[in-house]
Amino acid sequence: MAFNDYNISADAARGIVESARNRFQDLDGMENKLQATGDAVASAADEAKITTALKDSYTNFQRPFVVTMITTADNIFSTTDNVINIYDNADTSMAEDAKATAVEDMGYEATKYDNVPDYSPTDSTGDQGKEETSW
């Protein structure tokens, strides 16, 4: 799939990533809350098999899942920041390169005209028959 016309606003994209990051940071430390809640529930159970099952649930599943999810999200936000910076830097670099190339091209084009005619302050490119102005 080709994208012919697109425009990325780096500042707006950064704002979106930062907003998502801020909302996601509410989950920081959630694994500790899950473990504390799991411990409380497990200690309330009188049956050893239930206590073991609950501890296994938060120790072997919930905690690793939450830690992996939060770490992965943080990596995604950082990578997205890097991609936006790469785009922004490339866009700026291309604009600077285009400007430098245009100046270089103008210099080259100017060297192609070796036979510039002599001119005087009274020469005119206007309609014939106009009165010439003398300085």
Side-chain angles (χ1 to χ4, degrees), residues 38-91:
D39 284 340
V41 170
S43 66
D46 289 334
E47 177 62 42
K49 289 182 180 181
I50 294 173
T51 301
T52 302
L54 289 170
K55 286 185 178 183
D56 281 349
S57 172
Y58 68 74
T59 301
N60 297 324
F61 174 71
Q62 291 175 357
R63 184 180 184 92
F65 177 78
V66 170
V67 169
T68 300
M69 181 180 65
I70 291 170
T71 303
T72 301
D74 189 48
N75 289 337
I76 289 169
F77 295 137
S78 295
T79 300
T80 305
D81 282 337
N82 288 338
V83 168
I84 293 168
N85 288 336
I86 288 167
Y87 171 84
D88 199 21
N89 292 339
D91 199 35

Side-chain angles (χ1 to χ4, degrees), residues 1 4 7 16 22 31-33 40-41 45-46 48 51 53 62-63 69 73 78 82 90 95 113 120 123 125 134-135:
M1 176 179 210
N4 295 332
N7 184 24
I16 291 166
N22 290 339
E31 68 278 3
N32 297 323
K33 292 177 186 174
V41 170
D46 289 334
T51 301
Q62 291 175 357
R63 184 180 184 92
M69 181 180 65
S78 295
N82 288 338
Y113 301 103
S120 71
D123 287 345
T125 59
S134 61
W135 301 96

Side-chain angles (χ1 to χ4, degrees), residues 14 34 51:
R14 284 187 185 99
L34 283 171
T51 301

